[in-house]
């Protein structure tokens, strides 16, 4: 890559982060960056995907669903269209790209990250599930194949800015902030009656459905804590979560001398995306900075054990291994779908995660580290069946 030229693939282009990545790409191009779009991918065919193809003219396309691929091929006969998980892996392994942007949601993003790292690629990673499930194994792949990862997550982006050029041995704690989601301070009884609409109404960020529900159970925060542990190898007892309802301090680093650095900024993912795309460059983003002179209130409180049971379960899975994390992640995907479909109540998501972890440990199938992708996908498949078979909970009318 020369300073202002970039060939990139964008996985998950039709999602919240995918669309914002294309907006950043427009901005970079209008600032003189020569960006070639090697591939766009999505789970399904959609009007949005078709519009993106017409507007951005990628060199190739990938969709998870093979029938959708055939329909897209008919509309765009000159465009190579890859299909299914293998098709997406083919795109992730391409040698002729500088940067793989992985904005796929869920475990479906793991093979993309894995394949790109095996090909020694640089990755701008929004798919936090990759880091959360397979952190130690991905570190092995990084060491062996010479790739690199820059996380797009706002918390990791904040830590990165606070830590760049510092010595990790001077760090006493990482402080990862969490909005607490829409249900901060609700009682157990209130939580029983939560509707999907209420859970999808995040107080401070507009995001895809899965991460929005994960932000209300704090599964999302658990993934970020595991991701931060993976990136910096700071032990878990020195990574704390602070509930911070304004979501303006995106995370902080406390040093042994008693000083704390925080990254504070607007709630706009395009800053983290742009920095991940052009790292180590920095460029005016056109996004309004915070206006401190107008008065800004920042509040913090500790996350208490037991306050968000799903958070505790995911961190317990991290203590078991990558198979347990793959299982808990897959169960979470299934339980969220079942909650959104009205089959189970909100607290059953957290209960189902704990049941999944308990059963996984009873079965004793935990793979060693480094794990194989097949072992993690097997854990994923097992947990999808298990979580899908948990009995529905009666909804109150
Ligand atoms: P989203 O649901 O809006 O978009 C997900 C994208 O993945 C879509 O393009 C979808 O078509 C694609 N996809 C879904 N299933 C697929 C499959 N089986 N195979 C291939 N592609 C598939 O999600 P999002 O909010 O953009 O989040 C994407 C990722 O970024 C998640 O891992 C999330 O945790 C992370 N993230 C999101 C935000 C945010 O603000 N939205 C912030 C930080 C991190
Ligand atoms: Mg985040």
């Amino acid at each position: 890559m020369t300073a202002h030229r970039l060939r990139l693939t964008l996985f998950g282009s039709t999602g919240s982060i995918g669309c914002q990545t294309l907006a950043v790409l427009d901005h970079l191009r209008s600032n003189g960056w020569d960006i070639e779009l090697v591939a766009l991918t999505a789970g399904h065919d959609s009007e949005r995907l078709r519009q993106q193809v017409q507007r951005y003219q990628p060199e190739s396309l990938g969709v998870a669903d093979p029938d959708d691929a055939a329909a897209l091929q008919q509309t765009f006969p000159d465009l190579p269209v890859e299909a299914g998980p293998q098709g997406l892996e083919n795109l992730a392994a391409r040698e002729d790209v500088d940067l793989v942007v992985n904005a796929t949601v869920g475990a479906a993003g793991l093979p993309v990250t894995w394949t790109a790292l095996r090909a020694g690629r640089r990755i701008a990673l929004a798919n936090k599930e990759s880091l959360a499930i397979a952190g130690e194994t991905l570190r092995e792949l990084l060491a062996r194949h010479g790739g690199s990862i820059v996380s797009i997550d706002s918390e990791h982006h904040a830590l990165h800015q606070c830590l760049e050029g510092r010595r990790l041995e001077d760090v006493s704690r990482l402080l990862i902030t969490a909005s607490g989601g829409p249900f901060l301070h609700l009682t157990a009884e209130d939580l029983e009656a939560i509707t999907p609409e209420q859970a999808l109404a995040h107080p401070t960020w507009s995001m895809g459905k899965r991460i929005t529900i994960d932000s209300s159970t704090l599964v999302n925060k658990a993934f970020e804590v595991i991701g931060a542990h993976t990136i910096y190898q700071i032990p878990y007892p020195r990574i704390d979560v602070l509930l911070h309802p304004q979501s303006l301090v995106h995370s902080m680093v406390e040093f042994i001398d008693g000083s704390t650095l925080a990254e504070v900024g607007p709630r706009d993912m395009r800053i983290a995306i742009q920095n991940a795309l052009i790292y180590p460059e920095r460029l005016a983003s056109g996004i309004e900075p915070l206006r401190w002179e107008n008065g800004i209130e920042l509040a913090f409180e500790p996350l208490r054990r037991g306050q968000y049971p799903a958070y505790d379960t995911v961190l317990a899975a991290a203590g078991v291994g990558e198979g347990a994390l793959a299982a808990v992640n897959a169960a979470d995907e299934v339980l969220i779908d079942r909650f959104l479909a009205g089959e189970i109540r909100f607290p059953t998501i957290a209960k189902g995660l704990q049941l999944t972890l308990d059963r996984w440990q009873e079965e004793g199938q935990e793979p060693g580290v480094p794990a194989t992708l097949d072992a993690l996908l097997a854990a994923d498949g097992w947990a999808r069946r298990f979580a899908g078979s948990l009995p529905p909970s009666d909804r109150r009318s």
Side-chain angles (χ1 to χ4, degrees):
M1 183 186 91
T2 57
H4 296 287
R5 184 159 183 274
L6 197 58
R7 278 175 63 77
L8 62 84
T9 44
L10 172 56
F11 291 79
S13 68
T14 55
S16 163
I17 293 290
C19 292
Q20 294 180 81
T21 301
L22 289 171
V24 168
L25 189 148
D26 288 336
H27 177 73
L28 292 173
R29 279 180 173 164
S30 66
N31 280 275
W33 279 71
D34 174 11
I35 302 188
E36 294 170 11
L37 202 49
V38 179
L40 290 179
T41 84
H44 286 282
D45 184 9
S46 64
E47 196 43 45
R48 181 175 282 171
L49 182 62
R50 287 165 179 255
Q51 283 169 3
Q52 289 180 344
V53 172
Q54 267 154 0
R55 171 151 179 211
Y56 291 96
Q57 307 271 316
E59 293 170 22
S60 55
L61 195 59
V63 271
D65 186 299
D67 292 339
D68 285 10
L72 283 160
Q73 191 68 80
Q74 278 212 319
T75 312
F76 304 106
D78 299 330
L79 191 67
V81 181
E82 295 271 7
Q86 185 57 53
L88 299 184
E89 285 185 44
N90 295 343
L91 293 172
R94 278 181 70 141
E95 296 280 332
D96 58 344
V97 297
D98 304 305
L99 180 70
V100 174
V101 184
N102 188 359
T104 307
V105 65
L110 177 59
V112 171
T113 305
W114 194 291
T115 311
L117 286 185
R118 273 187 37 181
R121 299 269 76 80
R122 190 159 73 88
I123 304 185
L125 187 63
N127 181 259
K128 67 183 81 194
E129 294 88 348
S130 296
L131 269 184
I133 295 172
E136 292 311 307
T137 298
L138 295 185
R139 285 181 69 87
E140 278 265 326
L141 292 179
L142 281 168
R144 200 166 337 137
H145 302 284
S148 62
I149 295 179
V150 179
S151 172
I152 285 178
D153 220 327
S154 58
E155 292 74 6
H156 298 158
H157 172 249
L159 293 175
H160 179 72
Q161 296 201 62
C162 297
L163 283 167
E164 195 161 38
R166 321 256 164 207
R167 297 184 310 186
L168 283 176
E169 62 262 38
D170 293 340
V171 171
S172 51
R173 276 199 302 166
L174 303 182
L175 294 161
I176 296 185
T177 53
S179 72
F183 311 136
L184 185 63
H185 305 135
L186 290 195
T187 64
E189 196 180 328
D190 295 333
L191 291 177
E192 286 285 333
I194 294 296
T195 64
E197 294 68 34
Q198 288 170 316
L200 286 173
H202 193 277
T204 48
W205 293 97
S206 162
M207 310 175 285
K209 284 185 180 175
R210 197 256 164 129
I211 181 174
T212 304
I213 303 293
D214 278 344
S215 301
S216 66
T217 59
L218 259 69
V219 164
N220 177 56
K221 206 50 54 181
F223 285 170
E224 291 172 1
V225 166
I226 299 168
H229 168 79
T230 299
I231 297 169
Y232 298 110
Q233 300 282 285
I234 303 260
Y236 285 111
R238 293 203 280 120
I239 307 179
D240 286 328
V241 172
L242 284 177
L243 298 174
H244 165 50
Q246 294 86 6
S247 302
L248 294 174
V249 176
H250 300 130
S251 279
M252 309 192 243
V253 178
E254 184 189 276
F255 293 89
I256 48 175
D257 60 2
S259 56
T260 301
L261 292 186
E263 191 268 327
V264 196
R267 293 182 290 257
D268 193 320
M269 286 304 296
R270 288 174 300 165
I271 298 174
I273 295 170
Q274 177 172 299
N275 283 338
L277 259 52
I278 68 174
Y279 178 78
E281 303 260 335
R282 216 183 258 264
L283 180 78
S285 67
I287 296 165
E288 260 301 276
L290 295 180
R291 292 290 168 216
W292 294 92
E293 51 276 43
N294 294 344
I296 290 179
E297 230 174 87
L298 301 175
F300 302 93
E301 60 180 275
L303 172 70
R304 295 187 312 278
R305 238 189 125 70
Q307 190 176 0
Y308 290 89
Y311 174 90
D312 297 335
T313 300
V314 176
L315 276 175
V320 177
E322 296 185 357
L325 285 165
V328 166
N329 171 71
D332 187 53
E333 293 187 31
V334 169
L335 293 165
I336 287 173
D337 284 345
R338 293 187 67 189
F339 167 66
L340 293 178
E343 257 179 63
I344 58 171
R345 286 204 289 260
F346 183 75
T348 307
I349 299 176
K351 287 177 196 148
L353 294 183
Q354 186 61 46
L355 288 171
T356 306
L357 178 60
D358 292 345
R359 181 64 70 84
W360 174 259
Q361 289 189 270
E362 282 160 28
E363 302 245 331
Q365 301 182 58
E366 184 56 43
V369 173
T372 62
L373 184 55
D374 282 348
L376 297 183
L377 294 180
D380 175 284
W382 171 87
R384 278 174 206 275
R385 291 188 294 280
F386 179 74
S389 69
L390 290 172
S393 38
D394 300 330
R395 286 204 76 87
R396 285 180 205 165
S397 51

